[in-house]
Amino acid sequence: MAVLPAAAAAAYQAISNIGGAGAAGGAASPGALGAGASDFTSFLQGALKDGMGTMKQGETMAARQVAGQANIVDVVNAVNQAEITLDTVVAVRDKVVAAYQSIMNMPI
C-alpha cells in the first residue's frame, strides 16, 4: 500500500496535536487517563468524519461529471482521494481485526 506524503504529513500533524492537547491538560486534571482516552476518541471520530466527507466528495464529483458540470481533472482527483481513503480504512480495519484475533488466541 502506497502512502502519499501529504497524507502522512496530515496524519503526523493530527497525532502531534493530540500529544500537545494531552500534555497541556493531562498533568493538571485528576482524570488524565480519561482525558487521553477522550482525545483518542475525538481523533478517531474526526478521522472517520473526514474519511466519510472525502468519500461523499468523490461521489458528488462523479455525479457532477455525469451531469456535465465538473472538470474531469477535479473528478479524477476527488475519486482518487476517495479510493485512497477507502484503502486506508480497510487497512486499519484489517489491523484491528488481526489484533483482536491475536488477543483472543493468547493462552490464559
Side-chain angles (χ1 to χ4, degrees):
M1 180 174 118
V3 178
L4 294 177
Y12 177 76
Q13 186 171 2
I15 295 293
S16 67
N17 287 340
I18 288 175
S29 67
L33 183 60
S38 174
D39 290 342
F40 180 73
T41 301
S42 64
F43 167 73
L44 196 56
Q45 287 175 342
L48 289 175
K49 285 180 182 177
D50 287 346
M52 289 174 42
T54 303
M55 299 295 289
K56 287 181 182 178
Q57 178 69 19
E59 291 175 359
T60 301
M61 291 300 289
R64 289 180 65 191
Q65 176 61 31
V66 169
Q69 299 173 345
N71 183 0
I72 189 69
V73 174
D74 296 336
V75 173
V76 169
N77 286 335
V79 170
N80 190 26
Q81 288 296 319
E83 183 178 350
I84 290 170
T85 300
L86 181 63
D87 289 345
T88 303
V89 169
V90 169
V92 169
R93 182 208 59 192
D94 290 346
K95 290 288 185 180
V96 169
V97 169
Y100 174 77
Q101 288 175 341
S102 178
I103 291 171
M104 293 306 290
N105 289 333
M106 286 183 175
I108 297 177

